[in-house]
Amino acid sequence: MSWTEDLATLKARTRDVQDLGHTLAVLNWDQEVLMPPKGGPARGRMIGVISRLMHERIADQKVASLLASVESSGKLKPGSDDAAFVRLTRRFHEHAVRVPTELVAEMAENDSRSQQAWVQARPANDFSLVEPLLARSVELRRRVSEYFPEHAHPLDTHIDASDEGMTVAILRGLFRQLRYELVPLVQAVTAKPAPDDSFLNRKFPKAKQLAFSNKVLARLGYDFEAGRLDESAHPFTTTLGAGDKRITTRVHADEHDVLYSLMSTIHEFGHGTYEQNIKEEYDGTPMFAGASSGVHESQSRLWENVVGRSRGFWSYWYPRLQRTFGKALKDVDLEMFLRAINKVETSLIRTEADELTYNLHIIIRFDLECQLMEGSLAVKDLPEAWHARYQSDLGQRAPDDRNGVMQDVHWYGGYWGVFHSYTLGNILSAQFYAAALQQQPELAAQLAVAKTGGLHRWMKKHIYQHGAKYTPAELVQRVTGGPLSIAPYIAYLREKYGELYAL
Ligand code: ZN
């Protein structure tokens, strides 16, 4: 067989794997949005079967020989789509074959038990219910890392799976600088009188919240012919196939706080529009996805925070929001509203944190995660280590573990090495935004009147269309002309909060 025939066979194989992945997405979307509760056990089985088929298709010995044939041909042009295709397929194949199937199965089972235990343990405020399962989860992840001896730190294996090329060593350096800059800024802002945001607790009828979200999505450029907005307990974005990239949002049961649903919607818009704008010819290949978790999160944060909490955006949307909700916002002017939606306060809960303190929550989690994986922190000592770090970094101590170490599902659900990507996304959102404004200065005047089309086209051209073709580091270099840097993010925060809080 010629190498071109082998390449074609390999592409047919990755198309199958992608179709199976999208089938899983259909099952998961339905489970989160529509499925009645009694459908759970059967759905779990169906998801298990498809996951296994997917793993078999990519781990198959046939894939190894096809890859070897194409790689050894010497015919792949560096920088071409085919070269990226082979690099990514090799990466997924290696991940699938290096870790023994029994270990993968044991992790899946432990994760499922541990997540269910967390659902009980959190409201009961009883860490002992999850402790042995969490300890096992750490142990199993440390074993996985042993199959990747090229990684310097045991957490690197798990970080690399979501952010290729990123390491504990790089993140430690970035986070140290970031903390050095953020702590005095948070102190300066919180020393000022806190803005009044009590009006957000008023009632905003749900149907109107959703209708408003849909209007904002349409104007931002979400393609409703290739997606839809639904409700789920935890908002998410998912690809059910080419031409079907859906997002979800959530609304408080008592209908208070219109921003809770709207900002979630705009966040998911960032993820969804990224996926909707990947080149169609990448369908069926591993390039048909975002470049990494961090780059994906840069787009949700860009649209949610950099654009969605800006004066320019609300100068257009606020009068419309006021008209939609009648007397709920009648006595609140644009200035009050802007200060309220950008209120900064140190708090105990990550998901409720503002733009400025959010990263401090992430740095705590990242440091503890490193210690757990190194073995320098035992799971039994984790709750107290958590409290100690919140005391020293945010000046607060949670009254219990429910509001401490048990607040996030991630570790209990088996998601290790992912917290960092939220902060990476924040950093990159500002770096990409600064690059866009530098290359196209006219965008500033457009954004000042909420005309976001130009910025969206820029992101599509430089980031979205390429999918996962470039590694995250290559993409950042191509888009911004330099490596990952916190400088634009710090400059953005200083300017924004300096103005809002008259620093
Ligand atoms: Zn996100």
Side-chain angles (χ1 to χ4, degrees):
M1 287 264 258
S2 71
W3 76 278
T4 47
E5 283 168 316
D6 284 344
L7 183 63
T9 312
L10 202 51
K11 284 183 177 173
R13 181 61 70 106
T14 62
R15 177 172 289 280
D16 284 357
V17 173
Q18 184 192 272
D19 285 344
L20 286 166
H22 291 164
T23 305
L24 268 184
V26 176
L27 294 172
N28 280 318
W29 178 88
D30 177 75
Q31 177 175 297
E32 300 299 318
V33 177
L34 290 174
M35 190 187 77
K38 288 184 181 169
R43 184 59 51 91
R45 246 184 9 248
M46 291 153 77
I47 288 172
V49 171
I50 306 287
S51 308
R52 203 180 61 236
L53 286 175
M54 235 177 119
H55 183 264
E56 284 168 10
R57 293 296 279 172
I58 191 73
D60 193 354
Q61 183 54 40
K62 177 85 175 140
V63 172
S65 54
L66 290 167
L67 273 171
S69 152
V70 176
E71 286 165 342
S72 63
S73 71
K75 297 278 174 49
L76 284 169
K77 273 222 319 277
S80 65
D81 286 353
D82 281 343
F85 168 78
V86 171
R87 181 182 70 77
L88 287 165
T89 305
R90 164 65 69 193
R91 177 174 151 81
F92 293 125
H93 175 70
E94 287 291 321
H95 270 266
V97 293
R98 279 211 218 172
V99 187
T101 319
E102 315 81 71
L103 180 51
V104 173
E106 196 184 344
M107 278 193 295
E109 207 224 310
N110 191 74
D111 292 347
S112 152
R113 285 175 57 205
S114 145
Q115 182 157 346
Q116 285 168 38
W118 172 79
V119 170
Q120 311 283 322
R122 190 185 178 204
N125 190 35
D126 188 352
F127 184 72
S128 73
L129 294 175
V130 284
E131 192 195 308
L133 293 159
L134 190 61
R136 186 75 187 142
S137 181
V138 171
E139 170 59 29
L140 294 170
R141 262 66 194 192
R142 281 161 55 91
R143 275 175 53 197
V144 169
S145 305
E146 287 168 11
Y147 292 98
F148 297 84
E150 68 271 36
H151 292 149
H153 190 284
L155 189 60
D156 284 351
T157 305
H158 308 286
I159 291 174
D160 183 78
S162 57
D163 282 284
E164 187 179 358
M166 191 45 67
T167 64
V168 165
I170 299 172
L171 288 168
R172 276 197 176 131
L174 273 180
F175 288 179
R176 195 178 311 118
Q177 288 175 52
L178 189 61
R179 199 167 152 192
Y180 176 80
E181 300 284 352
L182 281 177
V183 170
L185 190 54
V186 169
Q187 281 166 351
V189 170
T190 51
K192 296 273 181 169
D196 175 13
D197 62 352
S198 58
F199 61 85
L200 291 174
N201 286 317
R202 294 173 186 166
K203 204 170 158 161
F204 299 88
K206 179 172 164 173
K208 286 187 179 177
Q209 289 196 41
L210 292 172
F212 197 83
S213 278
N214 275 302
K215 249 188 233 166
V216 172
L217 281 176
R219 193 174 146 100
L220 284 172
Y222 184 71
D223 180 359
F224 281 98
E225 297 286 303
R228 44 182 289 135
L229 175 67
D230 292 277
E231 283 179 76
S232 63
H234 305 281
F236 66 99
T237 298
T238 182
T239 293
L240 285 71
D244 191 355
K245 323 270 180 137
R246 302 186 194 180
I247 60 178
T248 69
T249 192
R250 58 185 173 184
V251 182
H252 278 305
D254 65 2
E255 303 188 320
H256 86 272
D257 195 355
V258 60
L259 286 174
Y260 180 76
S261 63
L262 184 58
M263 299 323 283
S264 285
T265 305
I266 300 178
H267 180 101
E268 298 308 326
F269 162 76
H271 289 303
T273 200
Y274 186 175
E275 292 284 332
Q276 283 186 335
N277 286 289
I278 298 171
K279 270 184 202 163
E280 274 173 41
E281 57 261 43
Y282 288 173
D283 180 21
T285 78
M287 284 102 87
F288 202 55
S292 69
S293 299
V295 174
H296 233 299
E297 208 59 26
S298 79
Q299 294 311 304
S300 53
R301 304 291 166 144
L302 170 82
W303 293 103
E304 177 193 357
N305 290 330
V306 182
V307 175
R309 293 182 200 272
S310 71
R311 180 177 298 277
F313 184 81
W314 285 106
S315 66
Y316 174 85
W317 284 110
Y318 191 59
R320 287 159 177 82
L321 192 74
Q322 278 183 309
R323 276 205 295 281
T324 302
F325 292 101
K327 62 178 189 311
L329 293 169
K330 212 171 146 221
D331 55 341
V332 178
D333 66 16
L334 176 63
E335 280 319 303
M336 265 178 87
F337 181 78
L338 275 175
R339 285 168 55 84
I341 67 170
N342 289 294
K343 182 178 178 178
V344 175
E345 58 186 343
T346 53
S347 64
L348 289 166
I349 307 294
R350 174 186 67 89
T351 54
E352 291 165 12
D354 55 82
E355 220 180 334
L356 216 48
T357 59
Y358 187 90
N359 301 297
L360 300 174
H361 293 261
I362 294 300
I363 294 171
I364 292 174
R365 285 157 180 75
F366 171 74
D367 287 345
L368 294 174
E369 202 168 38
C370 285
Q371 292 170 28
L372 287 169
M373 285 293 153
E374 286 161 8
S376 59
L377 174 66
V379 167
K380 70 172 170 45
D381 300 324
L382 180 61
E384 190 45 45
W386 182 284
H387 290 311
R389 276 299 296 270
Y390 264 80
Q391 188 69 60
S392 69
D393 289 26
L394 287 151
Q396 295 190 32
R397 188 187 165 96
D400 49 34
D401 293 333
R402 174 173 31 201
N403 292 295
V405 71
M406 286 196 289
Q407 65 180 264
D408 294 315
V409 68
H410 301 62
W411 293 337
Y412 309 96
Y415 305 103
W416 294 94
V418 294
F419 275 125
H420 70 276
S421 62
Y422 299 131
T423 288
L424 218 44
N426 287 333
I427 295 170
L428 284 171
S429 70
Q431 197 173 351
F432 291 148
Y433 184 71
L437 289 184
Q438 197 191 13
Q439 292 168 27
Q440 245 172 276
E442 69 276 17
L443 291 179
Q446 297 168 12
L447 291 164
V449 290
K451 285 193 176 138
T452 52
L455 181 66
H456 190 260
R457 279 189 294 280
W458 190 91
M459 291 293 160
K460 179 177 175 177
K461 178 173 172 214
H462 295 275
I463 299 174
Y464 304 162
Q465 63 159 332
H466 303 299
K469 177 175 180 180
Y470 304 109
T471 68
E474 284 168 357
L475 185 72
V476 171
Q477 183 71 41
R478 284 176 60 94
V479 174
T480 70
L484 177 67
S485 157
I486 67 161
Y489 184 49
I490 296 300
Y492 154 75
L493 291 175
R494 282 219 183 100
E495 190 187 328
K496 174 171 176 176
Y497 288 92
E499 194 243 52
L500 279 169
Y501 280 83
L503 296 180

